[in-house]
Amino acid sequence: MIEVSNITKHYGKHLALDNISFRLDEGDILGFLGSNGAGKSTTMNIITGYISSDSGTVKINGHDILEEPLEAKKNIGYLPEIPPLYNDMTVEKYLEFMYRLKKVRLSMKEHIEEICKMVQIDDVSDRIIKHLSKGYRQRVGIAQALLGYPPVLILDEPTSGLDPAQIIEIRKLIRDLGKKHTVILSSHVLSEVQAVCDKIIVINNGRIVADGNTESLTKLGSETRKIKLVAEGREQNLYSVLKSVDRVTEVKKMGETEKGCYEFIVESTADVRRAVSKAVARADGIILLMQPEGRSLEETFLNIISGNEEG
Amino acid sequence: MFAILKRELSSYFSSPVGYVVTAAFMSFSGFFFYVQCLNVGTSSMYAVFQSMFFIVLFVIPLITMRLFCEDRKYKTDQALLTAPVSIPAIVIAKYLSALTMLLICLSSYIIEGLALTFIASPDWSVILGNVLAMVMMGSAFIAVGLFISSLTENIVIAAIGSFAVNVIISMIDSISSTVTVPFFKSILESLSFQSKYSNFALGIVSLSDVVFFISIAVMFLLFTERVIERRRWA
């Protein structure tokens, strides 16, 4: 469906993308993860043919974006980082323009109405885009990407500027679309990628630093488990019994949280919650809070990036 | 391509620009028509067209200034360039939208000509010859303005830039009169817009003049296409 091979891009002397390659099949939802300026938008702009790469090829449905640009572009719906909206038009007129521009063959009025309902902008269809709030503008941008239901959807930070309820709606929409379409979305919000995508590419300084499915990346480096523990008792007693629990590798004192209560971070190589509970009881302590600190994608992500920078 | 043409045209009239430009053009043309035709009691509109030459120089940058630079500024070029439309088609659509605006402005001459028929019998060949002259010259100037609009994101620079270029082009005659080297003098003279415009205005339609204006237009459209294409590689 999408084949990106060895694309490299320089902006002047600055190397923006360094040998990026990946491929996606129909129905894949790929999350592009990276900090700002990592090269997410540049990659998307190259895939959609807005800018050209210095070397490498991009194929959409077998059509090379440089050699058969019109055929390739017919297969793409693109939401750039800043939605390409004409401020002087009404939402309806704008979508009609984009419909014609993209040479969509579906029945115009019903098709536009349907898409407006999907992204919930049907209540503003006769408003001038200039007067819309950021959330609405973003959704009009998503609507134009969906016009004609192209097989490939490329969404650059689709949920930016939306409120939490809208974010949930749009994520659900993207998951639904992912059943029939190939979707690439970029984000620096990790929970979003975790929630929506089944494949993740982490990009840093123009290079792919991690590539895999969401589960395998989340598991990456999760051998150490952490528990946050708040217990009532004597700090030194609690500390020493926690230390003595089997498979516990480290206990950190985090100080007194309220009178007579102390917080600890317990690191271990296995699930030690039961043993910890018994040990605290032996030391005449009372557990007030025990919370597993699962290793989130966030930490993995930061680890990958910092590890990459050190290396 | 027609989608872009239609959008550009409607965008002229969804902002004050389209109305201001046509109103300014038509009121100047009406003013000169009154002063140089009705007031002196002649049915020859030749003098009106001579005066309007400089008004056209003013008006065309206003028509072309926003064509490409606004798209770049508001990132709407991303929609155009990632849609299944070729760059030449985008350039031509924008060019035709500006040309249509000019034709709307020029329609005022037809109205003035018709007004004259009530009181005299105007020389339609002069009127149509002059309109043709303005269309020819305008099509070249619009291509120049479109090209300059593609170079910048700033609408004011686009307008002033193309106005300056238009003025320089129209001053070629006076520049060439100061040049003494015959070789350069003949080159400058052959580039003069005004002498060719005057030929049309006098009713002399020569193929070489038509080809001159059309090739200037085509050349700058190609330049524009290259600028847009080149930016993708920058």
Side-chain angles (χ1 to χ4, degrees):
Chain A
M1 204 66 184
I2 303 179
E3 260 190 85
V4 175
S5 334
N6 310 316
I7 54 174
T8 299
K9 174 79 181 171
H10 287 83
Y11 286 125
K13 278 185 182 160
H14 172 69
L15 179 64
L17 289 182
D18 187 5
N19 217 7
I20 301 271
S21 300
F22 60 88
R23 57 165 298 146
L24 288 178
D25 297 315
E26 202 177 329
D28 281 346
I29 306 184
L30 170 75
F32 245 136
L33 211 53
S35 37
N36 291 326
K40 296 175 302 218
S41 297
T42 304
T43 312
M44 292 185 148
N45 280 334
I46 289 172
I47 295 174
T48 53
Y50 176 59
I51 54 175
S52 303
S53 54
D54 300 341
S55 61
T57 57
V58 174
K59 276 189 178 168
I60 313 286
N61 251 353
H63 302 290
D64 190 296
I65 192 78
L66 290 180
E67 278 162 24
E68 304 170 82
L70 300 192
E71 280 306 310
K73 285 173 185 174
K74 265 185 199 164
N75 288 297
I76 302 176
Y78 181 35
L79 168 73
E81 198 172 4
I82 299 164
L85 307 178
Y86 283 103
N87 282 326
D88 55 352
M89 299 175 103
T90 64
V91 172
E92 192 183 6
K93 286 269 174 285
Y94 170 71
L95 291 176
E96 283 174 10
F97 163 66
M98 290 305 292
Y99 170 96
R100 292 203 182 90
L101 187 68
K102 293 177 162 198
K103 303 182 174 120
V104 179
R105 292 266 172 263
L106 303 161
S107 133
M108 183 167 87
K109 214 169 168 349
E110 287 92 65
H111 181 56
I112 290 178
E113 259 173 34
E114 187 179 73
I115 283 178
C116 285
K117 282 215 179 77
M118 277 166 83
V119 295
Q120 299 172 346
I121 51 170
D122 40 338
D123 51 333
V124 294
S125 63
D126 55 352
R127 297 255 299 270
I128 291 175
I129 292 176
K130 181 163 57 182
H131 302 308
L132 294 182
S133 69
K134 191 157 187 314
Y136 270 117
R137 294 171 65 89
Q138 186 70 16
R139 282 179 286 159
V140 176
I142 297 174
Q144 64 81 22
L146 291 177
L147 282 172
Y149 297 125
V152 175
L153 283 173
I154 297 184
L155 310 170
D156 199 347
E157 302 192 1
T159 55
S160 88
L162 301 183
D163 67 37
Q166 293 163 351
I167 289 179
I168 292 169
E169 278 300 317
I170 293 298
R171 282 182 191 166
K172 188 171 162 290
L173 177 67
I174 293 171
R175 267 198 306 271
D176 288 344
L177 289 166
K179 285 170 194 155
K180 281 187 233 148
H181 303 66
T182 308
V183 184
I184 301 183
L185 67 90
S186 77
S187 181
H188 51 250
V189 184
L190 300 131
S191 55
E192 176 160 295
V193 172
Q194 226 165 354
V196 177
C197 306
D198 27 55
K199 276 188 172 180
I200 295 181
I201 285 178
V202 183
I203 186 167
N204 188 39
N205 289 335
R207 267 178 299 167
I208 293 181
V209 290
D211 180 358
N213 60 37
T214 311
E215 281 165 29
S216 69
L217 275 183
T218 315
K219 273 184 194 153
L220 207 77
S222 64
E223 303 84 37
T224 33
R225 296 167 186 241
K226 275 189 199 167
I227 298 173
K228 180 176 160 188
L229 184 80
V230 177
E232 198 175 38
R234 285 196 175 166
E235 191 181 22
Q236 201 47 46
N237 279 3
L238 290 169
Y239 179 74
S240 49
V241 292
L242 285 174
K243 265 291 216 192
S244 64
V245 172
D246 199 22
R247 315 287 288 267
V248 167
T249 51
E250 204 186 337
V251 180
K252 277 188 213 145
K253 292 184 196 172
M254 305 302 287
E256 193 170 18
T257 53
E258 46 192 290
K259 198 169 165 31
C261 304
Y262 300 91
E263 186 183 322
F264 302 93
I265 298 287
V266 180
E267 284 184 22
S268 62
T269 52
D271 185 0
V272 292
R273 286 174 298 171
R274 289 168 190 83
V276 162
S277 171
K278 281 181 185 160
V280 171
R282 272 202 305 278
D284 282 335
I286 299 161
I287 290 179
L288 299 174
L289 173 97
M290 175 144 60
Q291 188 183 350
E293 303 249 282
R295 194 163 174 131
S296 65
L297 196 54
E298 197 120 5
E299 275 177 76
T300 316
F301 170 68
L302 288 173
N303 261 16
I304 292 171
I305 284 182
S306 61
N308 183 258
E309 266 156 11
E310 280 156 22
Chain B
M1 189 175 126
F2 287 104
I4 301 176
L5 174 58
K6 195 180 155 199
R7 201 215 78 79
E8 290 297 338
L9 270 179
S10 69
S11 130
Y12 278 119
F13 292 101
S14 67
S15 71
V17 175
Y19 296 102
V20 169
V21 165
T22 33
F25 188 91
M26 288 186 176
S27 49
F28 273 113
S29 137
F31 172 72
F32 288 129
F33 176 65
Y34 175 75
V35 172
Q36 292 168 330
C37 275
L38 300 183
N39 212 26
V40 293
T42 170
S43 68
S44 161
M45 284 174 67
Y46 179 71
V48 178
F49 287 104
Q50 286 300 310
S51 313
M52 286 307 284
F53 180 86
F54 287 97
I55 304 298
V56 173
L57 292 189
F58 262 108
V59 161
I60 284 176
L62 297 178
I63 297 178
T64 58
M65 62 183 181
R66 37 165 291 283
L67 284 174
F68 275 105
C69 77
E70 262 192 358
D71 265 321
R72 234 178 115 196
K73 190 173 169 191
Y74 296 111
K75 306 277 178 202
T76 41
D77 58 339
Q78 283 193 306
L80 300 180
L81 293 173
T82 59
V85 189
S86 66
I87 296 178
I90 298 172
V91 173
I92 289 170
K94 294 203 174 239
Y95 176 72
L96 290 180
S97 77
L99 199 58
T100 312
M101 274 300 291
L102 183 68
L103 291 178
I104 292 172
C105 290
L106 294 179
S107 68
S108 64
Y109 291 124
I110 307 297
I111 299 168
E112 284 160 13
L114 287 175
L116 273 184
T117 56
F118 288 105
I119 46 176
S121 49
D123 190 347
W124 279 100
S125 63
V126 171
I127 297 176
L128 293 178
N130 274 287
V131 171
L132 180 68
M134 288 223 172
V135 172
M136 280 293 146
M137 189 184 68
S139 58
F141 275 139
I142 288 172
V144 173
L146 187 73
F147 169 67
I148 290 168
S149 171
S150 75
L151 296 175
T152 171
E153 276 182 40
N154 189 316
I155 196 162
V156 176
I157 292 176
I160 294 178
S162 46
F163 177 63
V165 172
N166 289 359
V167 169
I168 291 169
I169 288 174
S170 65
M171 278 169 31
I172 283 180
D173 279 315
S174 37
I175 297 171
S176 73
S177 66
T178 65
V179 175
T180 46
V181 184
F183 175 68
F184 292 116
K185 196 181 177 75
S186 70
I187 288 182
L188 281 176
E189 272 169 2
S190 64
L191 284 174
S192 160
F193 276 38
Q194 205 163 10
S195 64
K196 294 178 183 61
Y197 175 78
S198 303
N199 285 348
F200 275 107
L202 290 169
I204 310 164
V205 180
S206 81
L207 187 64
S208 72
D209 292 347
V210 174
V211 170
F212 173 79
F213 283 126
I214 291 179
S215 37
I216 294 278
V218 171
M219 189 171 82
F220 277 96
L221 289 181
L222 281 174
F223 286 165
T224 312
E225 197 268 340
R226 292 323 297 168
V227 168
I228 309 284
E229 180 68 39
R230 203 185 139 265
R231 188 165 299 131
R232 297 175 61 209
W233 298 88

